[in-house]
Amino acid sequence: MKNAIIMNRYLLPITMVAMIMASCTGSNKSADTTVNDSLTQHATDGTLIARRFISADLKKFGLFGNVKSAEPQPDDLIRTCLNETLNFNSDGKLITEFLTYYDNEIKTDSEGYITSTSCEESDGTSWTVTFTGLNENGWATEGKYETEGPKNRTVINFTYTYDSTDSIGNWTQRTLNGTRTIQPMDYDTGDYAMSQPSTPVNKTQKRKITYY
């Protein structure tokens, strides 16, 4: 009888600890459910961290954390609906209406990342950007920009390098390098003339990101 009391005295706390640990393990699994995980190497201390997209819309634009807005500086080199300020509600849903241009279209791949955009101006000028390379964050690394209008047709083949990020991990500055080819309009034939020699282009792009 005495031995049974001693065993109960030690087995009961052990059983309770096991139950608590099992409960905690289940809670962590539930809380860890996310749209997507992207693992990156921390630049300063070398530790591996997980950055999470909290919604499908934020993932589409490669934005980590509870982003309220992503406001790019004006860009006169490449025009696209993505040049507008991207606004999101507190649930991560995109609320920007893209009213600057007409017929805005955004296409994504099977992972939900943007692969191309297109839009038009009121005079019929069209712009198309196609991303032919994405990194592990869903950020464009290379692509092609095409515009056709009453004055000329322009093609820019470009690459992006990412220069800086904020404390959450979203890029705040990137550099575009590429080549630009212009075909002026031949008003006698109503078609574009021969392409002019390609010229190099370089552009630093910055944006400001705010959070909830």
Side-chain angles (χ1 to χ4, degrees):
M1 182 68 177
K2 184 176 181 180
N3 289 338
I5 294 174
I6 293 173
M7 291 179 63
N8 287 337
R9 181 183 302 171
Y10 288 100
L11 287 176
L12 182 58
I14 293 173
T15 304
M16 293 179 66
V17 168
M19 292 175 63
I20 292 172
M21 290 179 65
S23 175
C24 290
T25 302
S27 298
N28 287 338
K29 184 176 181 180
S30 176
D32 200 38
T33 302
T34 57
V35 174
N36 183 69
D37 288 349
S38 180
L39 296 178
T40 58
Q41 194 73 20
H42 197 282
T44 55
D45 62 9
T47 58
L48 197 64
I49 59 174
R51 299 170 181 157
R52 309 194 188 285
F53 300 109
I54 68 170
S55 74
D57 280 350
L58 287 170
K59 179 182 178 182
K60 179 187 298 184
F61 295 95
L63 289 165
F64 301 110
N66 201 4
V67 173
K68 184 176 183 180
S69 66
E71 180 182 1
Q73 287 186 344
D75 188 346
D76 57 359
L77 179 63
I78 291 182
R79 294 189 181 185
T80 166
C81 59
L82 300 183
N83 288 354
E84 297 191 40
T85 298
L86 301 174
N87 295 305
F88 302 86
N89 65 19
S90 58
D91 294 322
K93 181 177 176 58
L94 180 71
I95 56 176
T96 298
E97 296 183 355
F98 299 113
L99 299 177
T100 302
Y101 303 114
Y102 299 93
D103 296 330
N104 295 292
E105 184 177 13
I106 297 176
K107 294 182 179 181
T108 59
D109 62 12
S110 59
E111 297 295 322
Y113 298 119
I114 293 176
T115 55
S116 69
T117 70
S118 61
C119 53
E120 291 187 5
E121 184 62 277
S122 57
D123 65 357
T125 301
S126 63
W127 296 280
T128 300
V129 181
T130 303
F131 300 130
T132 54
L134 302 175
N135 66 15
E136 68 277 6
N137 297 327
W139 304 347
T141 55
E142 59 183 333
K144 183 178 184 179
Y145 170 69
E146 300 174 271
T147 175
E148 293 187 4
K151 295 182 179 180
N152 57 58
R153 178 178 185 267
T154 301
V155 175
I156 298 177
N157 292 291
F158 62 87
T159 61
Y160 283 130
T161 56
Y162 292 89
D163 309 317
S164 61
T165 59
D166 62 14
S167 61
I168 304 299
N170 291 308
W171 73 265
T172 53
Q173 179 177 306
R174 67 183 179 184
T175 300
L176 178 150
N177 286 289
T179 57
R180 173 169 50 195
T181 305
I182 298 177
Q183 290 179 265
M185 174 63 72
D186 185 335
Y187 294 103
D188 292 333
T189 63
D191 201 355
Y192 297 112
M194 292 290 293
S195 298
Q196 297 176 350
S198 298
T199 57
V201 291
N202 175 275
K203 180 78 173 182
T204 298
Q205 301 173 330
K206 298 181 179 181
R207 65 179 182 178
K208 177 183 178 182
I209 300 179
T210 59
Y211 299 86
Y212 284 99

